[in-house]
Amino acid sequence: MKNIYIKVVCLLALGLTLASCDDYLNDVPKGAKSPETLADYEAFLRDEYNTRLDILGANQVLNDQFVTAASLTSNRLYNANYMWDENADRIALKVSDESTYYTTYSGISAFNLIIENALSTTKATEQEQRVVWAQAKIMRAMNFFCVTNFYADTYVASTAATKLSVPLITSANINAPSKQVTIQEMYDFILNDIKEALPYLPKVSQTALHPNLGAGYAFYSRVYLQMNNYTEALKYADLALAENNKLFDWVAFYEANKAIIDVPNSYTTAVSPMGYNNVENYLFRHGSSRSLGREPSIPVERAARFETGDLRLKSRWKIRTVGADTYYYSILSGMYNFGGITTVEVYLIKAECLARDNKINEALAILNAIRKTRILPASYQDIATTDKTTALNAIFKTKNNESVQTLIPYADARRLNAEGVYKVSFSKVVNGTTYTLKSDSHLWTSPFPQGATQNPGNGTITQNVDK
């Protein structure tokens, strides 16, 4: 019990940043509680704010999140990512910690704790124990997928067995050894976690924060897509959509709220429809933003990537100028599913898989069904083509806009750049100077923070990028 208590206290209070609390955490303090029942451990799954997936650096590289001129001046790391400065030494600029690393590994520690103990908890049947155990496995796999696609190169079959990914930690014990495994080993681990979890995931979960069977299938599909395994990605996309195939109607949302949305120069907010109860959710998780408020602003250049009449843009952001900064400012208030997984992502995975298999009409039928719920009817036209490249580019564009401020556009761009056929690059002009993010730039892989490499716990960490 002492050991369990140590794990929990270290997880909640210290995360991964301290490594020497053994000596003084010998007793449970008055008023504290050691987890014993399944409900005690299941509570970690409900701890939504400490299990979020923060990908701020990726949002900045993609320019999916606006950074003010003042922040660019004062924060050199922000400037390097946002202005695509290939000369900047981002390793030197990451002096201490980074939320992406520590928050994600804090979540992994919590899920390890559940996986290690759920099957021996009290006040629960074996079936109930297995459900929580399986849900923790999906959550842990999602966290490893996130950090692997942030701090390591993307999956390429020919190099995955030799390139390093991120530390694999499978115990909540603070002295547990960790190994920076290869990308192949990490993907094998993720796939195995999903495989072991699927038989026990419920069709309907306790809350939107708990993975259900649809979430398991959907995440399986996401992982296989990242591995360029379109056959398996399509298979699990279909299984996920059999569990939930609903699409949210942004056209109806706009019609219901246009009295607020259409007022010029007004930034009064409507209630975010992207919260816990959105019909598209398989699983809700917070991302970089976790507060009950406005979502982050986006740059003018990013807003231009939405197609004409897209009500996801019109209903979420409105152009605003404050001092030297002009950007699109949020006009929603509430929660946003930036770290979970939704039906529309799975639909677009399916569309990509079909298009790559030259089933263009089937792929476009899915794409257009989505667009009809997003595009203002006066602007809407079906996308019709027999050209595979045109179809895929249309699918990628919709998916990027659908997933803005999530890990998905970043992961997709890295995957497509590695494939070398549908490369992703960006350029912008700021104060007369042209800035470019090349498809083969090292900026697509983020360095580990110095706090991690200098204090790697019971293991070692090697940087996957030079700067």
Side-chain angles (χ1 to χ4, degrees), residues 354-387:
L354 291 170
R356 286 184 179 274
D357 195 25
N358 293 309
K359 297 175 181 175
I360 308 300
N361 288 338
E362 292 178 56
L364 292 182
I366 293 171
L367 176 63
N368 287 326
I370 294 170
R371 292 177 61 250
K372 284 178 182 174
T373 65
R374 269 66 177 161
I375 308 301
L376 195 67
S379 302
Y380 180 83
Q381 287 187 329
D382 275 349
I383 293 175
T385 181
T386 58
D387 180 68

Side-chain angles (χ1 to χ4, degrees), residues 40 45 100 118 148 154-155 173 200 218 254 284 299 301 303 308 318 324 332 369 378 442 446 448 460:
D40 292 337
L45 292 174
T100 300
T148 297
T154 192
Y155 183 92
N173 190 308
Y200 305 103
Y254 168 72
F284 180 96
E301 296 85 359
T308 301
K318 189 179 292 186
L332 293 179
H442 69 273
S446 179
F448 293 108
T460 59

Side-chain angles (χ1 to χ4, degrees), residues 400-412:
N400 286 337
N401 289 331
E402 195 66 46
S403 307
V404 63
Q405 300 191 351
T406 77
L407 177 69
I408 302 310
Y410 188 69
D412 279 350

Side-chain angles (χ1 to χ4, degrees), residues 92 106-107 171 191-192 201 206 209 213 227 238 252 283 290 323 376 381 405 413 420 438 459:
S106 176
S171 171
L191 291 173
N192 188 63
L201 292 172
Q206 303 93 312
L209 304 172
L213 184 59
M227 300 175 74
D238 279 333
L283 175 68
R290 61 177 181 175
L376 195 67
Q381 287 187 329
Q405 300 191 351
K438 297 181 293 186

